[in-house]
Amino acid sequence: MIRDLTIESVLLVSMIARVAAQVPGAAVPVAGAAAGVAHSESELKTYTVPAGTKIPLSLKNEISTRVAMPGDPVYLISDFPVVQDGAVVLPAGMYVKGVIDSVQRPGKVKGRAQIQMHAASMIFPNGVEIRLPLTLDKVPGANGARMKNAEGTVEQSGSMGKDAQRIATNTIEGTGVGSMVGYGTGNVGLGAGIGAGAGAAAGVLTTLLTRGKDVVFPQGTELEMVLSRPLVLQQTQLTGMPAYTGMIVPAAEPKPKN
């Protein structure tokens, strides 16, 4: 009797297990599933840096309208980190690559030196390279260069004041020489007039044969560029840079091979 009850109990338990396995939606808890979901959410997190964000940079190579050509590379380094949503997303000390878009040499009679450039990408220490839609926004004005338009064109200031000074200097020098010659011939006024005319003519000729000032940015020049459109970064792109970003980002798990 007891034996028959035992056999019946075993069969009943087996049947219940089979029915439970066939019920739709039934699932067996898997160890680590919650951790996997949290990890996926971390990988999918993104940061959006808004358009108009300004990024200070320093030149690693000299740029001059005297030798630059369209298509030449520009090498820079970021000077200050960009923080978004409480996280450093564009660290300081990152290498930035740019390119020269157009160059115009200064003319001898008219036309000022101009140069246009933009930054194209930033390289992280973890090997990730991101595209940066950056245009030039501000340049130091110590050498006379200034921003011409919103497209990032830099124009050198005119040399009209220096040209006038050169002509005046030559006129004064010519007057002195002419006066000395006139003194020797007994006609100081005539000599001074001739000398002044000759000096002024020399000054004008020198001005016509001399180009205006080039745009020159030495190595180490601090520039400011601005994002022309929003920049979206994924948290996985910041993996392995806690010393730069302060974030401990888990490395992505390798995908299984088919």
Side-chain angles (χ1 to χ4, degrees), residues 68-124:
M69 298 290 290
D72 284 353
V74 179
Y75 302 109
L76 310 103
I77 189 168
S78 58
D79 291 334
F80 198 81
V82 174
V83 178
Q84 189 65 36
D85 299 335
V88 176
V89 293
L90 296 177
M94 301 295 99
Y95 290 111
V96 176
K97 293 194 302 184
V99 65
I100 301 291
D101 298 312
S102 63
V103 180
Q104 177 179 299
R105 290 294 314 278
K108 293 181 180 180
V109 178
K110 62 179 182 178
R112 301 177 181 181
Q114 294 183 5
I115 191 168
Q116 184 179 7
M117 57 183 169
H118 73 277
S121 64
M122 176 181 285
I123 304 172
F124 289 155

Side-chain angles (χ1 to χ4, degrees), residues 53-239:
T53 299
K54 296 183 178 181
I55 302 177
L57 304 163
S58 293
L59 279 173
K60 298 293 290 181
N61 61 315
E62 181 178 282
I63 295 176
S64 171
T65 53
R66 187 171 52 252
V67 296
M69 298 290 290
D72 284 353
V74 179
Y75 302 109
L76 310 103
I77 189 168
S78 58
D79 291 334
F80 198 81
V82 174
V83 178
Q84 189 65 36
D85 299 335
V88 176
V89 293
L90 296 177
M94 301 295 99
Y95 290 111
V96 176
K97 293 194 302 184
V99 65
I100 301 291
D101 298 312
S102 63
V103 180
Q104 177 179 299
R105 290 294 314 278
K108 293 181 180 180
V109 178
K110 62 179 182 178
R112 301 177 181 181
Q114 294 183 5
I115 191 168
Q116 184 179 7
M117 57 183 169
H118 73 277
S121 64
M122 176 181 285
I123 304 172
F124 289 155
N126 60 4
V128 173
E129 183 175 5
I130 62 170
R131 295 183 62 84
L132 280 181
L134 287 176
T135 56
L136 196 56
D137 184 63
K138 186 181 294 184
V139 296
N143 62 355
R146 62 182 180 83
M147 297 302 305
K148 182 182 179 182
N149 53 40
E151 284 71 37
T153 301
V154 180
E155 183 179 68
Q156 184 60 259
S157 59
S159 58
M160 184 177 297
K162 291 186 176 180
D163 293 343
Q165 182 180 4
R166 182 187 298 117
I167 294 173
T169 300
N170 287 353
T171 300
I172 293 172
E173 293 176 353
T175 301
V177 173
S179 297
M180 293 178 62
V181 173
Y183 180 79
T185 60
N187 194 336
V188 177
L190 179 61
I194 295 174
V204 172
L205 182 61
T206 302
T207 299
L208 293 176
L209 295 177
T210 303
R211 285 186 179 273
K213 190 176 181 181
D214 280 288
V215 175
V216 180
F217 293 135
Q219 180 182 359
T221 298
E222 295 180 353
L223 308 174
E224 191 174 86
M225 294 194 174
V226 62
L227 283 174
S228 57
R229 60 179 183 272
L231 173 67
V232 179
L233 290 167
Q234 296 181 353
Q235 188 161 340
T236 51
Q237 294 176 301
L238 307 175
T239 300

